Amino acid sequence: MAQITEITVPDLGGASDVPVIEILVSVGDEVKAEDPLVTLESDKAVLEVPSPEAGIIRELKVALGDKLSQGSPIVSLEVADAGVSAKAPPTETAAPKAAAPEQAAPKPAAPESPAPVSAPAPTPAPASSTATVPATAGSTGLPSLSSTSGAFHASPSVRRYAQELGVDLSRVTGSGRKGRISREDVAGFVKDALAAPASSGGTGLPVMPEIDFSRFGETETRALTRINKLTGSNLSRAWLTVPHVTQHDEADISELEDFRKAHKAEAEKRGLKLTLLAFAMKAVVMALKAHPEFNSSLDSSGENLIIKHYYNLGIAVDTPNGLVVPVIRDVDQKSLYDLAAELAEVSGRAREKKLAPKDFEGGCFTISSLGGIGGTAFTPIVNAPEVAILGLSRARMQPVYEDGKFVPRLILPFSVSYDHRVIDGAAGARFSTLLGKLLGDIRGLLL
Ligand code: CAO
């Protein structure tokens, strides 16, 4: 027997009255669990609300422009296991308030809470970050952004996507009805621009050939999660537009480790796990204060540096759905215990897919810690529009030559990648050296 469920807006991370900018389904559509239903656009981010269950859309309860808050109804859904044909026609009572502009491509793994379309991933893209595109577009040969509001047909999320990639939509040919431009059209345009020979304004990068791998053995196709795709797009942009240098260094953290162990019991009493990361955050803030150009972003003209006088650190968190980078604010004003508590809380929410758009905003510098896993060095990608990132590898006991003999010391390898347009090599080496000293002498952190 058919079972109709009303799908409502989940927690929007405190936001309310958020306008509907796209309706991605029509009455009669079959949706899978996690397929997006509507797109909402707040001041800070564009969010897609996914269907929590598979089924058939029986009624649309929203129209474009409606303002939604937590609990607002979106659709009536006939749940999939109710034994109804997937292609069943809409019921006669179904009365859509608005026609769906276009069917969204199926999204393989969306969070239960609405996923920020423009916010998460290692290059969290707050609204202001799109402003860096024109300044960098020339260096890649990508078409520059001149207009995303012209007289062509494209949904707001496609316009935003184009804006993020620096694509002039007037140059994109739409493949949809009446020339409507889809996300895939924009992606195809960028792909073509990248593949174009250098003489025609592209980067001259050769196109990756399409290969049928099943010719060589058994294969399976696994869809990327939405977070994987966002991360991939942000990383590609940062990799193509930021001239990276990575400085590898090491710190003797033997004393830091003694201190950490001495406070382990006290931390546990408070229900906390005091890891190296909290100390690294404190050391980074001190190094940022000493080298303000590391705490900056290029402005949209590419001619000025915006130096930040606040210290918000992005922390790369590994989750089952992919990498996300929530931001911990005002690290300079927090104690080691405060930071340990916030790290546990934020990384827990990240793994439970409960981060809100505001959790990704306002980062100044990012730390990516792979120390709990392993490795001796790596080259982290700058989380643009930030200009530098710290990668922590695994600390190991090593023999260090001191006063004529080898002594066992705990050595932490770390890597600092930076944007060479903003930071000179000498400054990069000075920053890394200071960071090593701060981690090596715990007293420096306590001052
Ligand atoms: N060297 C040696 N041991 C380390 C270490 C280091 N550099 N850093 C952490 N450890 C230890 C911790 O002390 C802890 O040991 P105990 O359980 O014995 O106390 C253990 O490793 C696990 O630590 P953790 O990962 O739970 O905690 P954390 O504070 O170090 O890190 C977080 C938290 C959220 C950053 C981490 O869990 C994570 O997700 N890391 C992956 C980040 C990532 O994917 N980066 C790549 C981005 S680019 O693709």
Side-chain angles (χ1 to χ4, degrees), residues 122 235 253 260 264 273-278 315-319 323 343 347 351 367-373 378 380-381 392-396 412-413:
L235 285 171
I253 57 164
R260 190 180 77 87
K264 210 172 166 183
K273 192 170 159 192
L274 190 57
T275 62
L276 171 66
L277 193 50
I315 302 295
V317 180
D318 179 35
T319 80
L323 172 69
L343 275 171
S347 57
R351 289 178 179 129
I367 304 181
S368 173
S369 174
L370 292 177
I373 303 170
F378 65 107
I381 297 178
L392 297 175
S393 295
R394 188 161 190 78
R396 283 187 308 147
L412 170 73

Side-chain angles (χ1 to χ4, degrees), residues 163-179:
Q163 196 176 24
E164 281 177 4
L165 294 177
V167 170
D168 178 354
L169 276 181
S170 67
R171 297 175 57 190
V172 179
T173 308
S175 61
R177 214 158 48 87
K178 294 186 185 164

Side-chain angles (χ1 to χ4, degrees), residues 234-250:
N234 287 331
L235 285 171
S236 303
R237 183 177 56 187
W239 188 249
L240 284 169
T241 57
V242 174
H244 279 73
V245 176
T246 303
Q247 174 88 16
H248 300 292
D249 211 328
E250 17 184 65

Side-chain angles (χ1 to χ4, degrees), residues 259-413:
F259 181 90
R260 190 180 77 87
K261 280 192 182 141
H263 290 79
K264 210 172 166 183
E266 171 61 23
E268 275 164 13
K269 245 193 258 164
R270 297 172 184 230
L272 299 174
K273 192 170 159 192
L274 190 57
T275 62
L276 171 66
L277 193 50
F279 294 87
M281 292 169 79
K282 280 298 202 193
V284 162
V285 166
M286 296 199 78
L288 291 177
K289 285 186 173 170
H291 295 274
E293 71 274 26
F294 280 75
N295 199 33
S296 76
S297 288
L298 276 170
D299 76 0
S300 57
S301 70
E303 298 197 359
N304 303 295
L305 266 191
I306 299 169
I307 309 274
K308 298 155 195 174
H309 295 298
Y310 51 86
Y311 299 91
N312 300 338
L313 299 184
I315 302 295
V317 180
D318 179 35
T319 80
N321 282 294
L323 172 69
V324 292
V325 188
V327 172
I328 300 208
R329 289 169 189 276
D330 302 318
V331 172
D332 55 320
Q333 294 165 34
K334 291 177 179 164
S335 71
L336 288 167
Y337 287 136
D338 291 339
L339 294 174
E342 208 166 324
L343 275 171
E345 189 270 329
V346 168
S347 57
R349 273 196 296 128
R351 289 178 179 129
E352 289 163 19
K353 300 187 277 186
K354 288 194 174 148
L355 291 175
K358 64 178 168 38
D359 292 314
F360 297 103
E361 290 175 349
C364 303
F365 179 104
T366 292
I367 304 181
S368 173
S369 174
L370 292 177
I373 303 170
T376 52
F378 65 107
T379 54
I381 297 178
V382 171
N383 189 3
E386 297 167 14
V387 296
I389 181 168
L390 168 67
L392 297 175
S393 295
R394 188 161 190 78
R396 283 187 308 147
M397 290 304 287
Q398 287 180 31
V400 173
Y401 198 66
E402 262 177 23
D403 301 328
K405 56 181 187 229
F406 282 103
V407 288
R409 306 291 294 177
L410 185 62
I411 305 297
L412 170 73

